[in-house]
Amino acid sequence: MKAKLKELRDRSVEDLQREVVEKQKHLFDLRSQAVTEKLEDPSQLKKTRKHIARIKTILRERQQQPAAVTK
C-alpha cells in the first residue's frame, strides 16, 4: 500500500487528474455491471472509490501547499 501511495505522490498533477477521470469512468462501468448482475468482483467498487479518494486527497494537498507557504 505504501508503495502505491509513494508512486502516486511522485506523479504530476496532470497525470493524477487524468487518472481520476479514467477511474471515474471505470467506476461507472462497474456500477453498470452491478445493475445488470454481471459484476464478478463486487469489491472492485469499493477499491475503485478508495483509489479515486486517494488521488483526490493528493491533488488537494498540492493545491493547499503553496497557500501554506505564503502564510
Side-chain angles (χ1 to χ4, degrees), residues 17-31:
Q17 289 172 340
R18 243 182 275 126
E19 188 169 350
V20 167
V21 170
E22 179 184 308
K23 290 293 180 180
Q24 286 175 334
K25 288 179 183 178
H26 181 64
L27 183 61
F28 179 80
D29 292 339
L30 289 174
R31 285 182 178 150

Side-chain angles (χ1 to χ4, degrees), residues 7 11 18 25 27 33 39 43 52 63-64:
E7 289 172 12
R11 294 174 70 181
R18 243 182 275 126
K25 288 179 183 178
L27 183 61
Q33 289 175 12
L39 184 62
S43 68
I52 291 169
Q63 279 181 344
Q64 292 181 335

Side-chain angles (χ1 to χ4, degrees), residues 29-49:
D29 292 339
L30 289 174
R31 285 182 178 150
S32 298
Q33 289 175 12
V35 169
T36 60
E37 299 177 7
K38 293 183 181 177
L39 184 62
E40 292 182 18
D41 186 12
S43 68
Q44 285 291 8
L45 287 166
K46 184 177 179 180
K47 290 176 185 176
T48 304
R49 280 197 318 267

Side-chain angles (χ1 to χ4, degrees), residues 55-71:
I55 296 170
K56 285 186 173 184
T57 300
I58 293 169
L59 288 171
R60 183 72 177 143
E61 286 173 355
R62 289 188 184 173
Q63 279 181 344
Q64 292 181 335
Q65 201 170 25
V69 172
T70 59
K71 287 186 179 179

